[in-house]
Amino acid sequence: MNLQPQVVNLTESTKEGAIGSVSFSCSKELSAGQVFKIGTFGIGETSAWVTDWEEGIATVSFLENNSVTHKIMLLPKGECITLRGPFGNGFPFAKKNYKKILLINKDDGILSQKKLINDLIQAGSDITLFHFTSSPKNPVMKSSLEKTCNNEESPVDGQIFDLTKKGPQDLNSFISKQLEQHNFSAVDAVAISGDENFQQAISKTLEQTNIKDKDIYILFNRNFTSGMGWSNQDLYGVTNIWKDGPVFTLSEVRRFPGIFI
């Protein structure tokens, strides 16, 4: 883990809607759920999720929504950016013997699961994807989601849920209603990515199933914009979310003081 900024050269940059992605050389194999701090000289840093790693080339993705990301996306191939990380432990599914896996995410939470989806496809896992979007006309990773969820030949059984239809219902009731038709008895493990209210609502729904807390993995990203794991505000008891996480099982998250999941 590099805490001090390193300088790397861009090998590629692409954009899909509001999502920017950049690639660079990285000899260390990376996992889905890990994150880098990337930046440009004199402007600052932003957070970027690992979305691919292959043959020594890493790709990270981010919402293109601030001065740092605007500048990075203007840089040509071969230009330099600063890099810190990787931070985090990533989803451990490659080390587990799970066969049927349910992935649940909200909005840009899908970025932390993009590499996980590809890894699970390569491993031949049975994958179901539930994506909840606050922007149904232009969801995050729109073209990728359409190929995944609206294609009979896709190896992923995917569904997109429109959060703008929640209406007067609270989030817990809305999510419970959307998922009530799913057969959770066939699920071996679940991965959840999204904001804390979303994580809470999904966890409450999963309490009604036979899935054990130790097989539910939450990307716990509270305080995500802070100092990436080295400040007191990232401590929950004796657990530091960026040193020991940010991917934890639900049973681990339930032990964090002041967390009500």
Side-chain angles (χ1 to χ4, degrees):
M1 179 187 300
N2 295 321
L3 297 182
Q4 298 299 319
Q6 309 291 313
V7 177
V8 298
N9 295 319
L10 296 180
T11 60
E12 187 178 7
S13 62
T14 58
K15 188 175 180 182
E16 180 185 351
I19 301 301
S21 300
V22 295
S23 301
F24 50 85
S25 296
C26 179
S27 59
K28 180 180 179 181
E29 185 172 358
L30 303 173
S31 300
Q34 290 186 300
V35 65
F36 282 92
K37 284 285 192 178
I38 62 174
T40 57
F41 299 100
I43 296 182
E45 293 183 319
T46 194
S47 302
W49 295 104
V50 173
T51 49
D52 195 16
W53 184 91
E54 186 175 2
E55 296 181 354
I57 298 295
T59 301
V60 297
S61 300
F62 43 84
L63 282 175
E64 208 265 273
N65 62 354
N66 57 58
S67 59
V68 178
T69 56
H70 293 335
K71 175 64 175 179
I72 288 174
M73 292 311 298
L74 292 174
L75 297 176
K77 179 179 179 180
E79 189 57 86
C80 297
I81 62 170
T82 61
L83 186 76
R84 288 197 298 134
F87 298 93
N89 58 345
F91 291 98
F93 289 179
K95 302 175 183 177
K96 304 289 184 175
N97 193 31
Y98 297 129
K99 301 300 182 184
K100 297 181 181 294
I101 298 173
L102 172 61
L103 308 179
I104 308 176
N105 53 64
K106 176 188 173 188
D107 295 331
D108 59 327
I110 194 172
L111 296 182
S112 65
Q113 292 188 0
K114 182 179 179 181
K115 185 177 186 303
L116 178 60
I117 294 170
N118 292 333
D119 290 347
L120 293 174
I121 290 174
Q122 294 297 318
S125 301
D126 188 344
I127 310 165
T128 299
L129 170 67
F130 291 160
H131 178 69
F132 289 78
T133 178
S134 304
S135 305
K137 293 184 178 180
N138 189 28
V140 174
M141 290 175 52
K142 181 178 180 180
S143 61
S144 297
L145 278 168
E146 289 176 344
K147 292 177 182 178
T148 300
C149 299
N150 301 325
N151 185 349
E152 293 183 356
E153 297 181 357
S154 171
V156 178
D157 179 13
Q159 288 184 256
I160 300 175
F161 299 99
D162 181 359
L163 282 170
T164 65
K165 293 183 177 180
K166 183 168 69 67
Q169 303 177 83
D170 63 31
L171 186 60
N172 292 351
S173 298
F174 177 78
I175 286 178
S176 178
K177 183 177 180 180
Q178 304 312 304
L179 302 188
E180 63 184 5
Q181 303 300 319
H182 187 68
N183 180 19
F184 287 99
S185 63
V187 175
D188 296 322
V190 181
I192 306 172
S193 296
D195 60 58
E196 192 170 338
N197 289 336
F198 178 75
Q199 293 171 350
Q200 291 174 345
I202 294 294
S203 298
K204 288 183 181 298
T205 297
L206 296 180
E207 284 179 350
Q208 312 305 316
T209 72
N210 64 331
I211 305 172
K212 297 179 180 179
D213 287 358
K214 68 180 181 65
D215 296 320
I216 299 172
Y217 295 85
I218 291 180
L219 195 144
F220 188 77
N221 57 357
R222 182 191 277 198
N223 292 345
F224 178 64
T225 57
S226 70
M228 298 304 289
W230 310 110
S231 63
N232 288 334
Q233 64 182 330
D234 293 309
L235 289 173
Y236 294 88
V238 296
T239 303
N240 185 298
I241 62 171
W242 289 107
K243 183 178 180 182
D244 305 314
V247 178
F248 299 95
T249 64
L250 180 54
S251 57
E252 291 172 327
V253 173
R254 290 192 193 279
R255 294 197 290 268
F256 292 172
I259 305 301
F260 303 100
I261 292 181

